[in-house]
Amino acid sequence: MIFFFVALLISYGGGAVDLSEDAATVLSGPESNGLNRAQFPMGFVFGTATSAYQVEGMALKDGRGPSIWDVFINNTPGLIANNGTADVAVDQYHRYREDINIMKKLNFDAYRFSISWSRIFPDGTGKVNWKGVAYYNRLIDYLLKSGITPYANLYHYDLPETLEEKYLGWLNKQVIEDFADYAEFCFKTFGDRVKNWMTFNEPRVVAALGYDNGLHAPGRCSKPFGNCTAGNSATEPYIAAHNLILSHAAAVQRYRQKFQAEQKGRIGILLDFSWYEPLTRSKADNYAAQRARDFHVGWFIHPIVYGEYPRTMEEIVGKRLPKFTEEEIKMVKGSMDFVGINQYTAYYIYDPHQPKSKDLGYQQDWNVGYAFEKNGVPIGPRANSYWLYQVPWGLYKCLTYIKHHYGNPTVILSENEGLHDSTRINYYKSYIAELKKAVDEGVNVVGYFAWSLLDNFEWRLGYTSRFGIVYVDFHNLKSYGAGAVELSEEASTFSGPENGGLSRAQFPMGFVFGTATSAYQVEGMAHKDGRGPSIWDVFIKNPGIVANNGTGEVSVDQYHRYKEDIDIMKKLNFDAYRFSISWSRIFPEGTGKVNWKGVAYYNRLINYLLKQGITPYANLYHYDLPEALEKKYMGLLNDQVVKDFADYADFCFKTFGDRVKNWMTFNEPRVVAALGYDTGFFAPGRCSKAYGNCTAGNSATEPYIAAHHLILSHAAAVQRYRQKYQQKQKGKIGILLDFVWYEPLTRSKADNYAAQRARDFHVGWFIHPIVYGEYPKTMQEIVGKRLPKFTKDEIKMVKGSMDFVGINQYTAYYIYDPHQPKPKVLGYQQDWNAGFAYKKNRVPIGPRAYSSWLYQVPWGLYKCLTYIKEHYGNPTVILSENGMDDPGNVTMAQGLHDTTRIKFYKNYLTQLKKAVDEGANVVGYFAWSLLDNFEWRLGYTSRFGIVYVDFHTLKRSPKMSAYWFQKLLQRNKH
């Protein structure tokens, strides 16, 4: 959303910031009513706004006295959502430079802030707090230094508590002189630099919510209208409003008499204005809507323009409505150089045809009913705040109304906004389009201020509502530009020669950069559209198996959101997407009847990838055997699976191979065999009792049987492809193997042998047969008769059965010889006879990511690639997975700001490039993963994605690492 303003406000003829394609799309083109700065009058001001109490913090420090809001909050537990306070807020008191720098980057012209009366005069009058003065001097000076024009508001709801205690604040006329004195001090102190002054923000809200229903400080009202201990809703709102108007006029009078001629500034007031539209065309409803407008905006603007309250109010309120003296009329009438309009929403209004209320009050005096829909159609979508409906035409009507009823005064649209970021751009676009329409029709609007710059303390809602165009993490107060300028620009600091900068051009011609996911982790629709269950669907039904009992039922719903995800890949400049096909989505029973809805899904996915210029890399199996085959013949433990997998693969080649030219048979078959059959940690959860919490299995034999059938299934599928499809389709086929680098802990022979055993039992278990037609000698010697043997025909089929090998590489460990006797209970991991270490001489092998197994060891990647080159004939290699995870419970802001992940990728890619430069035949790199997703046993408590996914709404937000890839992968344009 931030990019919307970057794009809107950029000065043509040069701009340092690359525009987001998202915002540019929303912003431009006839289909979206394209907007830009040039379409507004010369000198039109675009700004953003906050208020002191909502952003400053330091509420009771550096000499600031308490305001009525400090007391209102602290005296009433539960008054604010989650008992939030503004004691710290978002700490603009210390972070003002950072915030102003953001404004500058976003091309804003101006900043509307408020001055805290009790920070200048802790007691409302008398002694000055010079520390407070110094703060506002720093703020104003840095704004000007940064080319941002200051717009200073003197009052935003925060009366000094001392004046409330001394004489009941706005209910006493003494406040008029005290406010004027405070205003005069500000004019004298800051007016040499501040040329745009506002006396009050939303005085109607101050009077109505403070004195009619008690929802705001000081919390006064009649008992029928709120939970108040004192007050009179029939009279006090009008008294407070009267004194607010006179305070405004007195301050304007001081400014005009003493400062304006010399300082050459201007002064106005900020009024809230909701548009009230008659529900029907009846006279009664039209009169009701006009009453609402008079009691709302007319209550303040009418006296300032005409010197008296609206006739409607005079007639209804009668003697309860204070009167202006002749001297006061002279002072009030014309007391503004401009009016600020805070406009957010609109409502339908109707006449309720009800008798006059026995209990009098300001809101009761309106005698109107509210409606939020008409003929069953809502007036507009609702935002997070219950009162805020998105009604852009309401803004146009408000501005036109001010023009026609109040002599077309100079107007600043001083607040507008209030949504979550997913709809915020459309909100701004549609409201600004209506603003432009009003300007084009002669309304004298000279500026627009977006509320708010920052997420902040939102009064009674505390920190449960976010109005900011800049996201603030309320725990560490770091601010992020909603995944846009801030993330993109900060990501760029990780490139360049001073950081060992990388670029696409440094890799061989044709080198492929992609990103990856797997079906079960991202698709969702686990039991819908004809998909049959996989072994994982059954496995995770055991309570406690997956963290927080997470499931893949919905996951991140790529089944429906694939276009959005592919569009993200395209914007990030990726060349390819490695996805997996769910066997049980194609064949619900594993064999036999085809589920054509599943076929249609993968056709849509593949076609849209190609349409967007993304090359599909299709993996046939990612841990998810059809449960039907597990029940029928124990799945991978039966050699029937070899034929059934080959038949499934054959169908995929035939159905999708006209478009898919890059095939992978299995992802990490070692993980399938070891975690599925040795420890039972993964589906189908089989093991010897000594090695896991399993009800069946044999860790001594089953891992080797399963692996043998995986290798034969791979080879049979490759054979089908080569015999029936490869020549015509001109594709290639391989397998994806995980490879952890095992480094000897010491230089001893024993530790070197142990490390080699680990490599043989890990990656050698699969690549050795595929390259040489037999298992590694180490395995043959140690496992003996428990290790299945290939027949001569199988050797012919297996040997050479890959056009490339995919290597999934994440981490490295130190390995040592434990010098221990052979265990009584045999198992695959026990056969290694190796010990693991994560430190050497007390120095960790590398920083740990969130997952317990994942240490960041970039040189391990280099050693893996060099090992494959030297031991297996330098085959064609794709680095098919590489990445790191964060905890699942990170806040969105923390998740987006993934600088550790950028360093991870930069360091690993540097090692990859080193291996390539030394002759390793690596032709591609796939980052794991595109999206945060379902992370197997960790469920949703681990995030590997370069795109943050909100697991509640499934909204996607690219992280800083995504923008880092975008810059890395951009192509030079000649």
Side-chain angles (χ1 to χ4, degrees):
M1 184 278 308
I2 264 191
F3 272 125
F4 174 83
F5 281 107
V6 178
L8 174 71
L9 305 183
I10 199 163
S11 298
Y12 291 92
V17 183
D18 293 328
L19 301 184
S20 155
E21 293 181 24
D22 267 343
T25 299
V26 172
L27 194 58
S28 61
E31 72 280 7
S32 48
N33 303 317
L35 295 165
N36 61 58
R37 182 191 284 277
Q39 294 172 306
F40 288 83
M42 185 72 71
F44 193 94
V45 172
F46 285 96
T48 184
T50 64
S51 84
Y53 196 69
Q54 292 179 271
V55 299
E56 282 180 5
M58 294 289 282
L60 303 174
K61 296 182 180 178
D62 266 10
R64 179 185 177 275
S67 75
I68 53 175
W69 267 91
D70 293 297
V71 175
F72 187 55
I73 289 172
N74 293 325
N75 285 359
T76 318
L79 187 74
I80 307 297
N82 301 326
N83 289 317
T85 76
D87 291 349
V88 176
V90 293
D91 194 29
Q92 188 168 88
Y93 192 88
H94 295 109
R95 297 169 184 257
Y96 67 93
R97 289 187 174 220
E98 177 184 350
D99 297 340
I100 292 167
N101 290 340
I102 291 172
M103 298 175 218
K104 184 175 181 180
K105 286 177 187 174
L106 300 181
N107 297 324
F108 282 113
D109 308 314
Y111 180 41
R112 195 202 107 193
F113 61 95
S114 77
I115 296 171
S116 166
W117 186 349
S118 63
R119 196 178 293 286
I120 302 296
F121 291 100
D123 293 317
T125 62
K127 188 177 179 182
V128 174
N129 172 34
W130 292 105
K131 286 186 178 179
V133 173
Y135 164 66
Y136 292 112
N137 274 325
R138 292 194 299 271
L139 175 71
I140 292 163
D141 289 344
Y142 196 69
L143 282 165
L144 293 168
K145 181 179 178 182
S146 301
I148 309 289
T149 302
Y151 278 61
N153 172 29
L154 292 168
Y155 186 92
H156 197 119
Y157 302 174
D158 50 352
L159 184 80
E161 171 63 17
T162 305
L163 303 187
E164 184 67 23
E165 293 177 3
K166 187 176 179 182
Y167 53 64
L168 285 177
W170 294 114
L171 298 179
N172 192 306
K173 283 209 165 195
Q174 177 59 41
V175 77
I176 300 166
E177 184 182 347
D178 289 346
F179 180 78
D181 288 344
Y182 153 61
E184 181 174 331
F185 177 87
C186 292
F187 302 147
K188 181 171 66 177
T189 307
F190 309 121
D192 57 329
R193 289 152 293 157
V194 174
K195 307 302 178 185
N196 298 277
W197 291 98
M198 294 141 287
T199 54
F200 290 95
N201 179 79
E202 298 179 347
R204 188 200 69 86
V205 172
V206 174
L209 273 66
Y211 298 88
D212 182 51
N213 57 30
L215 277 173
H216 277 200
R220 296 177 62 87
C221 64
S222 300
K223 285 191 176 179
F225 304 127
N227 186 25
C228 306
T229 57
N232 186 331
S233 300
T235 59
E236 289 188 0
Y238 300 110
I239 295 167
H242 198 71
N243 289 333
L244 283 160
I245 294 167
L246 290 171
S247 297
H248 154 78
V252 172
Q253 186 179 67
R254 296 272 187 103
Y255 186 67
R256 288 177 170 170
Q257 288 177 353
K258 302 177 76 171
F259 302 100
Q260 193 167 38
E262 182 182 346
Q263 293 181 356
K264 296 181 171 55
R266 56 184 179 172
I267 191 165
I269 190 170
L270 308 177
L271 306 178
D272 69 307
F273 190 4
S274 295
W275 179 251
Y276 298 114
E277 182 76 3
L279 181 62
T280 71
R281 294 184 180 180
S282 69
K283 277 188 178 181
D285 286 0
N286 270 279
Y287 287 155
Q290 187 56 49
R291 280 198 304 279
R293 295 178 208 126
D294 285 340
F295 271 86
H296 193 127
V297 74
W299 193 8
F300 291 86
I301 196 171
H302 208 90
I304 293 172
V305 172
Y306 298 116
E308 62 181 0
Y309 291 112
R311 288 286 162 81
T312 317
M313 293 188 71
E314 292 179 348
E315 292 167 1
I316 293 171
V317 184
K319 292 179 180 179
R320 291 180 288 125
L321 188 68
K323 294 194 182 332
F324 297 108
T325 66
E326 287 190 12
E327 287 301 313
E328 288 171 345
I329 291 171
K330 289 178 184 177
M331 182 174 71
V332 169
K333 188 176 180 181
S335 60
M336 68 180 191
D337 300 325
F338 64 88
V339 60
I341 296 295
N342 297 355
Q343 212 291 322
Y344 291 86
T345 196
Y347 308 120
Y348 292 121
I349 294 290
Y350 62 91
D351 190 314
H353 300 290
Q354 61 189 19
K356 196 169 185 180
S357 172
K358 292 180 181 178
D359 297 302
L360 298 178
Y362 161 71
Q363 193 64 57
Q364 300 303 309
D365 288 336
W366 291 34
N367 187 28
V368 302
Y370 289 79
F372 310 107
E373 58 180 47
K374 186 175 179 179
N375 300 324
V377 179
I379 194 167
R382 211 191 82 182
N384 179 54
S385 292
Y386 69 91
W387 56 269
L388 205 170
Y389 292 82
Q390 303 166 48
V391 191
W393 53 262
L395 171 60
Y396 169 78
K397 291 204 170 191
C398 281
L399 295 175
T400 305
Y401 181 88
I402 296 292
K403 170 188 165 189
H404 291 314
H405 287 71
Y406 295 106
N408 201 13
T410 299
V411 173
I412 292 172
L413 192 64
S414 41
E415 283 187 24
N416 174 240
E417 213 275 298
L419 305 172
H420 291 299
D421 233 51
S422 56
T423 51
R424 193 173 263 123
I425 290 178
N426 286 329
Y427 178 100
Y428 275 126
K429 181 177 69 68
S430 54
Y431 272 71
I432 292 176
E434 292 293 326
L435 165 64
K436 182 179 181 300
K437 178 181 173 184
V439 171
D440 290 345
E441 293 179 11
V443 180
N444 188 23
V445 186
V446 297
Y448 174 95
F449 286 74
W451 184 273
S452 168
L453 174 67
L454 304 165
D455 292 335
N456 55 47
F457 176 79
E458 190 47 44
W459 307 109
R460 288 288 295 264
L461 293 176
Y463 299 98
T464 66
S465 174
R466 293 180 177 272
F467 275 79
I469 59 173
V470 175
Y471 181 98
V472 177
D473 183 323
F474 292 133
H475 298 288
N476 60 30
L477 302 186
K478 292 190 83 170
S479 55
Y480 307 103
V485 173
E486 288 297 300
L487 297 185
S488 180
E489 291 194 359
E490 191 162 349
S492 71
T493 66
F494 287 84
S495 58
E498 70 280 11
N499 290 294
L502 295 165
S503 71
R504 180 191 284 277
Q506 293 172 308
F507 289 83
M509 184 73 70
F511 192 94
V512 172
F513 284 95
T515 184
T517 64
S518 84
Y520 196 71
Q521 292 179 269
V522 299
E523 282 180 3
M525 294 288 282
H527 301 295
K528 296 181 180 178
D529 268 10
R531 180 185 178 274
S534 75
I535 55 175
W536 267 91
D537 292 295
V538 175
F539 185 59
I540 65 175
K541 285 181 179 176
N542 297 314
I545 281 284
V546 175
N548 301 326
N549 292 314
T551 76
E553 301 280 345
V554 176
S555 187
V556 293
D557 193 29
Q558 189 168 88
Y559 193 87
H560 295 109
R561 298 167 186 254
Y562 67 94
K563 288 191 175 184
E564 178 184 355
D565 295 340
I566 293 166
D567 289 344
I568 291 171
M569 298 174 217
K570 182 177 181 181
K571 286 168 187 168
L572 298 180
N573 296 323
F574 283 110
D575 310 313
Y577 180 41
R578 194 204 108 192
F579 62 95
S580 78
I581 296 172
S582 167
W583 186 348
S584 63
R585 197 178 291 287
I586 302 296
F587 291 101
E589 301 294 324
T591 62
K593 189 177 179 182
V594 174
N595 171 34
W596 292 105
K597 286 186 178 179
V599 173
Y601 165 66
Y602 291 112
N603 274 325
R604 293 194 299 272
L605 176 72
I606 292 162
N607 290 342
Y608 196 70
L609 282 165
L610 293 169
K611 181 180 178 181
Q612 296 298 82
I614 308 289
T615 302
Y617 279 61
N619 170 31
L620 292 167
Y621 187 95
H622 198 119
Y623 303 174
D624 49 354
L625 184 80
E627 172 64 15
L629 303 187
E630 185 68 23
K631 286 182 178 177
K632 187 176 180 182
Y633 54 63
M634 296 188 73
L636 294 169
L637 296 179
N638 192 308
D639 63 4
Q640 177 61 37
V641 78
V642 179
K643 180 180 181 301
D644 289 346
F645 180 78
D647 289 344
Y648 154 60
D650 192 313
F651 178 86
C652 291
F653 302 146
K654 180 173 64 179
T655 307
F656 309 120
D658 58 328
R659 289 152 293 155
V660 174
K661 308 302 178 185
N662 299 276
W663 291 99
M664 295 141 285
T665 54
F666 290 94
N667 177 79
E668 297 180 347
R670 188 202 70 86
V671 172
V672 174
L675 273 65
Y677 297 88
D678 182 52
T679 62
F681 195 73
F682 272 17
R686 296 178 62 84
C687 64
S688 300
K689 285 189 177 179
Y691 300 127
N693 186 24
C694 306
T695 56
N698 185 331
S699 301
T701 59
E702 290 187 0
Y704 300 110
I705 295 167
H708 198 70
H709 293 150
L710 284 161
I711 294 167
L712 291 172
S713 297
H714 155 77
V718 173
Q719 187 179 69
R720 295 275 188 102
Y721 187 66
R722 287 176 171 171
Q723 289 177 353
K724 298 176 68 176
Y725 303 101
Q726 193 167 37
Q727 186 175 1
K728 181 180 179 183
Q729 293 181 355
K730 295 181 172 55
K732 54 189 177 179
I733 191 166
I735 190 169
L736 308 176
L737 306 178
D738 69 306
F739 190 3
V740 173
W741 179 252
Y742 298 114
E743 182 76 3
L745 181 62
T746 72
R747 295 183 180 181
S748 70
K749 277 189 179 181
D751 285 1
N752 270 278
Y753 287 155
Q756 187 56 48
R757 280 198 304 277
R759 295 178 208 127
D760 285 340
F761 271 85
H762 193 127
V763 74
W765 193 7
F766 291 85
I767 196 172
H768 209 90
I770 292 171
V771 173
Y772 298 116
E774 63 178 1
Y775 291 111
K777 287 282 169 35
T778 317
M779 293 188 71
Q780 293 182 39
E781 292 167 2
I782 294 170
V783 185
K785 292 180 180 179
R786 290 180 288 127
L787 189 67
K789 295 194 183 326
F790 297 109
T791 66
K792 287 186 178 180
D793 285 340
E794 287 171 345
I795 291 170
K796 288 179 184 176
M797 182 174 72
V798 169
K799 188 176 179 181
S801 60
M802 67 180 192
D803 300 326
F804 64 88
V805 61
I807 297 295
N808 296 355
Q809 213 291 319
Y810 291 85
T811 195
Y813 307 129
Y814 292 121
I815 294 290
Y816 61 91
D817 189 316
H819 301 291
Q820 61 189 19
K822 200 170 186 179
K824 292 179 181 178
V825 182
L826 298 177
Y828 160 72
Q829 193 64 57
Q830 301 304 310
D831 289 336
W832 291 34
N833 188 27
F836 291 76
Y838 311 106
K839 293 181 180 179
K840 186 175 180 178
N841 300 325
R842 297 184 180 180
V843 178
I845 193 166
R848 210 191 85 180
Y850 174 68
S851 287
S852 59
W853 56 270
L854 205 170
Y855 292 82
Q856 302 169 48
V857 191
W859 52 261
L861 172 60
Y862 168 78
K863 291 204 170 189
C864 282
L865 295 175
T866 304
Y867 182 88
I868 295 292
K869 176 181 88 171
E870 293 175 352
H871 287 72
Y872 295 104
N874 201 14
T876 300
V877 172
I878 293 171
L879 192 67
S880 41
E881 283 186 26
N882 179 238
M884 60 159 286
D885 65 338
D886 296 315
N889 62 356
V890 294
T891 64
M892 181 180 178
Q894 292 166 335
L896 294 179
H897 201 75
D898 61 340
T899 55
T900 302
R901 183 173 282 107
I902 292 177
K903 291 173 184 174
F904 177 99
Y905 280 128
K906 182 173 73 68
N907 292 336
Y908 273 73
L909 278 167
T910 299
Q911 294 294 322
L912 167 63
K913 183 178 180 300
K914 179 181 175 185
V916 170
D917 290 346
E918 293 179 9
N921 188 22
V922 186
V923 298
Y925 174 92
F926 286 76
W928 185 274
S929 172
L930 174 68
L931 304 166
D932 293 335
N933 55 48
F934 176 78
E935 191 49 44
W936 307 109
R937 287 290 296 265
L938 292 177
Y940 300 99
T941 66
S942 166
R943 294 179 178 272
F944 272 88
I946 60 172
V947 174
Y948 181 96
V949 177
D950 181 323
F951 293 134
H952 299 289
T953 65
L954 303 186
K955 182 193 168 190
R956 279 84 159 131
S957 301
K959 302 178 186 179
M960 188 188 291
S961 57
Y963 291 103
W964 183 81
F965 272 112
Q966 183 185 51
K967 290 177 181 294
L968 174 76
L969 302 182
Q970 61 191 6
R971 298 179 185 275
N972 293 327
K973 296 177 182 178
H974 300 286

